[in-house]
């Protein structure tokens, strides 16, 4: 893409009152972004209101700076690119969603949509969930994603804290690829705690944004990007979500796009499980193991996926303390009453199990048994 063409696309995206829908209509009429801005006032006024024509004829004041910033960013590394509707590198799956973005900024080595790679592209699966998961929820996200990575799937998520970050990390740990769809410009990393993770994703996966460089983490942008997370994926797996959460927005969008929706159930007492339970009531597929998802998507399972939740439980150390704990968060006092152990001995045994990753310490002085995925 030459400078003039890039400038025209940026101008189209920055023109107020146009949006993706209006831009696509103009592109269909005139064939290219550059051709739109070659039209005279009379032609443009015939398309709609005088205000629309004036907006198209008036160059946005931020255009020159945005073009300069984008050109400098593109020259910063070989794995940076901008793709537009009609480009060979534009993700084909996004052409079939409602409101596909006209421009996408990409950072990373993964290029599954190039002409030579489309038929060999790895299937994509979205993993979304709470930004404040329980230790078990975060472990589930990482371990499920690791199995999916080993199975050759590309794990898609949103680079947020909690489940998103664990899913990206797990996919990379499994030797797979991962794709992050973010709600800021690609010259920013949000949250900052994921700066190192973002670098790892860029080295072995891909980060995508529809927002111009310099876009800060605006609240409204994160629900908007969710349509891309679901749109890029064959299915969406929800791991812990409240009833009102962005994860449920992503799941709803996936269902509307005709994609599979999966949900992991949890405790009936946990607010973090209620969103997943609501999805299951609405028809989402209940998931107990990574194998459940792989079978539903008709994908081969690596050896790591061929086990059940019960086998995970049976594989834990033979400690009577586990039977006393059950699978719900439990207080030290309750455990002491159930086991009859002295406080010092009980605390020592819980600490040992916590260090071994078999027990998680929760807020409020609670403990929970950890099941391995």
């Amino acid at each position: 893409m030459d400078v003039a063409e890039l400038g025209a696309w940026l101008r189209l995206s920055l023109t107020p009152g146009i949006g993706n829908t209006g831009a696509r209509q103009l592109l269909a009429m005139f064939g290219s972004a550059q051709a739109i801005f070659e039209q005279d006032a009379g032609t443009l006024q015939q398309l709609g209101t005088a205000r629309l024509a004036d907006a198209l004829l008036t160059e946005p004041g931020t255009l020159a700076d945005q073009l300069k910033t984008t050109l400098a960013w593109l020259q910063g590394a070989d794995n940076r690119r901008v793709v537009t509707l009609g480009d060979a590198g534009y993700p084909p799956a996004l052409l079939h969603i409602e409101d596909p973005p006209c421009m996408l900024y990409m950072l990373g080595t993964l290029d599954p949509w190039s002409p030579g790679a489309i038929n060999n592209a790895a299937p994509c699966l979205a993993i979304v969930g709470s930004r404040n998961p329980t230790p078990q929820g975060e472990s589930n996200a990482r371990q499920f994603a690791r199995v999916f990575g080993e199975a050759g799937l590309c794990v898609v998520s949103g680079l947020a804290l909690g489940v998103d970050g664990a899913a990206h990390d797990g996919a990379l740990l499994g030797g797979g690829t991962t794709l992050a769809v973010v709600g800021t410009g690609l010259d920013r990393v949000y949250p900052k705690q994921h700066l190192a993770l973002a670098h790892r994703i860029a080295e072995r996966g891909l980060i995508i944004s529809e927002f111009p460089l310099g876009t800060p983490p605006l609240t409204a942008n994160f629900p908007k990007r969710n349509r891309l997370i679901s749109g890029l994926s064959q299915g969406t797996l929800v791991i812990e979500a409240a009833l009102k959460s962005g994860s449920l927005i992503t799941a709803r969008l996936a269902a509307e796009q005709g994609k599979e929706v999966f949900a992991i159930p949890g405790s009936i007492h946990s607010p973090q499980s209620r969103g997943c339970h609501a999805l299951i009531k609405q028809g989402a597929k209940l998931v107990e193991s990574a194998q459940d998802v792989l079978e539903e998507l008709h994908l081969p399972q690596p050896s790591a996926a061929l086990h059940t939740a019960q086998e995970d439980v049976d594989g834990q150390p033979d400690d009577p303390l586990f039977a006393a704990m059950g699978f719900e968060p439990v207080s030290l006092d309750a455990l002491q009453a159930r086991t009859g152990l002295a406080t010092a001995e009980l605390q020592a045994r819980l600490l040992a199990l916590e260090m071994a990753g078999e027990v998680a310490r929760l807020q409020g002085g609670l403990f929970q048994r950890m099941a391995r995925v």
Side-chain angles (χ1 to χ4, degrees):
M1 184 185 307
D2 60 29
V3 175
E5 185 180 4
L6 176 61
W9 279 101
L10 285 171
R11 179 174 174 178
L12 184 60
S13 68
L14 295 172
T15 300
I18 300 299
N20 288 324
T21 301
R24 290 194 301 273
Q25 292 173 346
L26 290 168
L27 289 167
M29 291 178 184
F30 299 113
S32 70
Q34 288 175 278
I36 294 170
F37 298 107
E38 294 171 355
Q39 308 305 312
D40 57 34
T43 301
L44 294 175
Q45 286 176 356
Q46 292 177 8
L47 302 177
T49 65
R51 175 182 290 184
L52 174 64
D54 289 342
L56 289 169
L57 292 168
T58 303
E59 183 176 299
T62 59
L63 177 60
D65 287 341
Q66 192 65 47
L67 178 58
K68 181 179 178 181
T69 298
T70 304
L71 289 171
W73 178 79
L74 287 170
Q75 294 169 1
D78 292 337
N79 58 357
R80 301 177 182 184
R81 52 202 182 275
V82 175
V83 299
T84 60
L85 280 170
D87 285 351
Y90 191 93
L94 294 185
L95 297 174
H96 304 290
I97 70 170
E98 185 176 352
D99 195 31
C102 291
M103 295 183 68
L104 286 172
Y105 300 78
M106 297 184 179
L107 170 62
T109 57
L110 184 66
D111 191 15
W113 305 294
S114 64
I118 288 177
N119 293 330
N120 298 318
C124 291
L125 176 74
I127 297 180
V128 297
S130 173
R131 285 176 168 79
N132 298 291
T134 65
Q136 185 66 69
E138 185 170 353
S139 175
N140 286 345
R142 182 170 285 104
Q143 296 304 320
F144 269 76
R146 183 167 188 162
V147 174
F148 295 146
E150 292 171 351
L153 272 72
C154 176
V155 172
V156 183
S157 199
L159 199 63
L161 293 173
V163 165
D164 286 20
H168 291 304
D169 181 53
L172 295 174
L173 289 173
T177 57
T178 187
L179 193 160
V181 183
V182 301
T184 66
L186 287 193
D187 53 346
R188 302 184 178 211
V189 174
Y190 179 83
K192 292 183 179 180
Q193 296 97 308
H194 280 171
L195 181 60
L197 177 60
H199 284 302
R200 290 170 58 205
I201 295 172
E203 289 173 356
R204 289 174 48 191
L206 188 66
I207 307 176
I208 290 180
S209 177
E210 65 179 305
F211 302 105
L213 299 173
T215 302
L218 302 175
T219 302
N221 289 350
F222 294 93
K224 184 178 181 181
R225 61 88 192 267
N226 289 348
R227 78 193 194 285
L228 306 186
I229 293 176
S230 59
L232 287 164
S233 309
Q234 289 189 10
T236 294
L237 171 62
V238 183
I239 302 177
E240 291 194 345
L243 283 173
K244 295 182 179 180
S245 66
S247 301
L248 263 62
I249 293 175
T250 307
R252 175 179 57 80
L253 291 167
E256 291 174 353
Q257 293 163 356
K259 309 294 182 64
E260 299 286 355
V261 179
F262 307 92
I264 297 178
S267 169
I268 61 173
H269 303 293
S270 172
Q272 299 287 49
S273 298
R274 290 174 186 163
C276 291
H277 293 172
L279 290 173
I280 292 168
K281 290 178 182 178
Q282 295 164 12
K285 294 175 175 61
L286 187 152
V287 169
E288 295 179 312
S289 70
Q291 182 183 4
D292 294 338
V293 177
L294 296 172
E295 287 180 348
E296 192 66 33
L297 295 177
H298 306 292
L299 296 170
Q301 297 102 24
S303 58
L306 299 178
H307 60 264
T308 66
Q310 185 60 47
E311 287 170 344
D312 291 326
V313 173
D314 293 342
Q316 288 184 322
D318 185 16
D319 191 327
L321 185 54
F322 280 122
M325 294 186 74
F327 290 94
E328 299 284 347
V330 61
S331 68
L332 186 67
D333 289 342
L335 277 177
Q336 191 171 19
R338 295 175 188 176
T339 62
L341 295 173
T343 301
E345 181 182 356
L346 181 57
Q347 288 178 329
R349 292 178 64 176
L350 286 171
L351 179 60
L353 291 171
E354 184 181 356
M355 297 295 291
E358 303 290 349
V359 168
R361 186 184 300 266
L362 309 180
Q363 292 182 349
L366 300 177
F367 298 86
Q368 185 174 26
R369 181 177 177 175
M370 295 284 286
R372 293 187 294 267
V373 175

